[in-house]
Amino acid sequence: DEESFVGLTQPKDEGKLRELLEQDGEEFFLRDVQGWTAFANDEKYLDALEERRAQGSLADDGQFADAMARVADDALARFYFNGPAAAPAFEQASGVDLGNFEDLLPGGEIPWVSASVSVEDGGGRMDGAIGFAGDPEGFVGPSYEANLPDVAPAGALAYVSFKDLEGQLSKLRDAFSQTAPEIEPDIGRFENDFGVSLEEDIGPLLAGEGALYVRQGLFIPEVTLLLEVEDEANAMAVLDDIVAGAQKYVPLGPSRTVEIGGVEARQVDIEEPFSLFYAAFDGHLVVTTQRAGIEAIQEDGDRLSSDDRFEEALGGAGVPDETAGFAYVNIKDTIPYVVGLVGAGADVPDEVGRNLEPLDHLVVYSTRDGNTVEFSGFLAID
């Protein structure tokens, strides 16, 4: 029931440190501990520091060593949170037995977390890891080699890659049914109104590799969802049912069959100039805001996998061949495109423009090593 902490620093001027700490009128206690200035708001915490330190240091802890070995050594800042150690205090304060929430917390424990922020040639990086007590299968997608960049057209402003969202949605539903059972009737009503089952209809559409990407469009951006599907006819039927159910709640025009690039597709008018198009062909389901989103996949043009900016961004960020998912944003081309869409009335202030101008791209990806999920993000700066 107390706010307790200990800080360790090496100030050039201890008097100025005390002045800073006590500027809000709260008393702090300072003590030299092997060349470090330790400070706390009660001397008993400094006593505890010295007493516990005599029994060993944090560097001797195997979990801490493993957690910090997964992030950058030479960093501006490093972070560690000992979830398993915090769990008993959380259970005591909340009266909740975390072991009953294994569907929400793999292993029934709060995970440990480590992270670092560092500067590299050409940008800044954030690395991190989350260590679960149990198998996080379902909460984290499987490792896979992304093939859809070979299908998606070049020129993406943003691209998000994922696989087996079916398993993650199923795991999430199981967790919510245990922790918030009142949600289950709402899910049932959704399924009834839309005439589809999350488990049997929508889930299989998300079982394979998928991608969501954005490309430039004339009046509005092209936003495209690309999914690998085994049954094209069933995928179209599920989309038809979803659109029919959505028409009960939002003002959508009727779904009509159109031909786009030689394949049968559906067009659903939303509001000028917005429409939704979807089609299933060549083992893929495509849902997009532009006819060009379907045409570009059928054409023999350049693919995203051979897009120089995309390749250089993923290579520079160190993205491995297999990940649990990744995201890419072409910041340099996105900013002027967005400014052009909104018009001259939304001129970017000079200060903001100067700060945004050096930003080139952002890449984020995750991998899995047993019960540990690692993630990394690289922001490229010219």
Side-chain angles (χ1 to χ4, degrees):
D1 298 325
E2 299 177 3
E3 293 184 3
S4 58
F5 68 90
V6 173
L8 289 164
T9 187
Q10 293 178 316
K12 293 180 179 179
D13 188 329
E14 189 172 296
K16 288 192 176 294
L17 172 63
R18 182 181 295 277
E19 181 182 332
L20 173 66
L21 293 172
E22 298 181 351
Q23 63 181 355
D24 290 330
E26 184 177 357
E27 183 179 14
F28 277 83
F29 299 87
L30 279 66
R31 186 179 302 178
D32 180 84
V33 179
Q34 293 191 343
W36 290 80
T37 298
F39 58 90
N41 55 2
D42 194 306
E43 281 197 291
K44 65 183 179 182
Y45 302 131
L46 300 180
D47 294 338
L49 168 65
E50 293 192 294
E51 177 185 341
R52 302 274 183 92
R53 209 202 164 301
Q55 302 170 12
S57 69
L58 183 60
D60 300 324
D61 183 273
Q63 178 177 279
F64 173 79
D66 178 40
M68 299 310 275
R70 297 175 183 271
V71 298
D73 285 329
D74 186 15
L76 296 175
R78 289 162 35 107
F79 167 84
Y80 170 69
F81 170 68
N82 189 343
F90 173 82
E91 290 180 324
Q92 182 179 5
S94 65
V96 174
D97 182 359
L98 293 174
N100 295 329
F101 293 90
E102 193 160 349
D103 283 334
L104 194 59
L105 295 170
E109 285 188 3
I110 300 174
W112 58 255
V113 181
S114 61
S116 66
V117 178
S118 54
V119 174
E120 300 180 3
D121 289 340
R125 181 181 296 274
M126 178 176 181
D127 292 321
I130 304 173
F132 295 95
D135 188 350
E137 185 71 39
F139 286 100
V140 181
S143 296
Y144 66 97
E145 184 174 352
N147 296 314
L148 288 183
D150 294 331
V151 179
L157 297 176
Y159 184 92
V160 178
S161 175
F162 53 87
K163 188 172 185 178
D164 190 26
L165 284 187
E166 177 187 26
Q168 296 173 63
L169 289 175
S170 178
K171 197 73 172 179
L172 197 59
R173 181 173 184 174
D174 291 343
F176 275 121
S177 66
Q178 184 179 33
T179 58
E182 67 276 6
I183 295 178
E184 197 63 31
D186 294 330
I187 296 177
R189 281 190 291 271
F190 165 83
E191 293 178 326
N192 184 65
D193 289 348
F194 282 77
V196 295
S197 166
L198 289 177
E199 298 282 347
E200 298 177 7
D201 297 319
I202 297 179
L205 298 184
L206 304 172
E209 183 183 344
L212 179 68
Y213 56 88
V214 180
R215 297 197 307 152
Q216 294 188 22
L218 184 58
F219 298 110
I220 60 171
E222 175 206 315
V223 181
T224 299
L225 175 65
L226 176 61
L227 302 173
E228 288 182 337
V229 293
E230 293 184 357
D231 189 330
E232 297 173 9
N234 182 69
M236 290 295 288
V238 172
L239 260 293
D240 289 340
D241 288 340
I242 292 175
V243 169
Q247 288 172 338
K248 303 173 185 177
Y249 300 95
V250 294
L252 297 178
S255 173
R256 64 182 188 273
T257 300
V258 296
E259 185 177 305
I260 301 178
V263 303
E264 185 179 284
R266 304 280 194 277
Q267 178 175 347
V268 182
D269 294 328
I270 303 174
E271 183 177 343
E272 282 291 337
F274 301 100
S275 292
L276 192 67
F277 303 86
Y278 57 95
F281 55 94
D282 297 336
H284 302 104
L285 175 65
V286 184
V287 184
T288 181
T289 59
Q290 302 270 7
R291 296 175 68 96
I294 295 175
E295 293 170 340
I297 294 175
Q298 299 173 276
E299 295 170 351
D300 295 330
D302 293 336
R303 302 293 101 183
L304 183 62
S305 57
S306 60
D307 185 311
D308 290 342
R309 292 190 63 83
F310 180 78
E311 282 189 299
E312 291 172 6
L314 267 60
V319 179
D321 291 337
E322 290 192 356
T323 71
F326 68 88
Y328 155 79
V329 181
N330 178 351
I331 302 175
K332 183 168 288 294
D333 291 338
T334 297
I335 291 174
Y337 173 64
V338 172
V339 172
L341 281 181
V342 298
D347 287 340
V348 178
D350 290 341
E351 183 178 357
V352 175
R354 288 195 299 271
N355 288 330
L356 293 177
E357 186 176 1
L359 304 184
D360 190 272
H361 61 261
L362 172 68
V363 175
V364 180
Y365 65 92
S366 66
T367 57
R368 182 179 165 191
D369 179 16
N371 292 352
T372 302
V373 177
E374 300 180 348
F375 58 90
S376 183
F378 183 72
L379 177 64
I381 302 173
D382 284 341

